Amino acid sequence: LPTCTGDITRLRNCKADAEDITERLTGLGFTVTLLLDPTKKQFDSAVKQWKKEREEKIALFFFSGHGVADRVSYLLPVDVPAEPRPDKYKEYGVPIEKLVDNMTRTKA
């Protein structure tokens, strides 16, 4: 899940990193869902879909992009404003704790 473009400073290698990880994992026989430059809505949808489909015993979540921490750590999707105020992180960001919680509640 790289967020390489958008209003925040563009990251040079995150797309290539995600594609490299995808290629290597696919080559090892893993099923990989690659989501490039997701919006908040796409990010949330992908997490919900992933949670529904979890059957494997091994899971890896890889994110290459921007994040912030202010009591809670957030991953920032591509449609986040250039300089979100800390009181808006919850609105724009994806809380890392939510992702970890979703992973621990599955079979993976």
Side-chain angles (χ1 to χ4, degrees):
L1 278 170
T3 54
C4 306
T5 61
D7 290 340
I8 297 180
T9 305
R10 184 180 185 95
L11 299 173
R12 294 179 187 225
N13 297 318
C14 64
K15 182 178 177 184
D17 291 346
E19 290 171 339
D20 287 347
I21 292 284
T22 297
E23 182 180 335
R24 285 180 174 80
L25 290 174
T26 302
L28 292 170
F30 289 95
T31 301
V32 177
T33 300
L34 176 63
L35 191 61
L36 299 173
D37 289 333
T39 62
K40 170 102 164 81
K41 184 176 180 179
Q42 291 169 328
F43 203 128
D44 289 342
S45 177
V47 170
K48 286 178 187 175
Q49 188 66 30
W50 178 83
K51 189 175 173 181
K52 284 182 189 178
E53 296 178 359
R54 291 284 1 118
E55 292 182 15
E56 293 82 9
K57 293 182 181 178
I58 298 173
L60 169 72
F61 177 86
F62 176 81
F63 178 81
S64 180
H66 290 287
V68 293
D70 182 47
R71 295 189 187 142
V72 175
S73 297
Y74 295 93
L75 304 178
L76 299 179
V78 71
D79 57 344
V80 68
E83 294 183 29
R85 299 186 333 244
D87 63 329
K88 295 290 187 177
Y89 292 158
K90 186 175 181 179
E91 178 181 343
Y92 295 113
V94 177
I96 293 173
E97 291 81 5
K98 180 180 176 182
L99 295 170
V100 171
D101 186 50
N102 283 336
M103 290 181 82
T104 58
R105 289 184 185 199
T106 65
K107 296 176 186 176

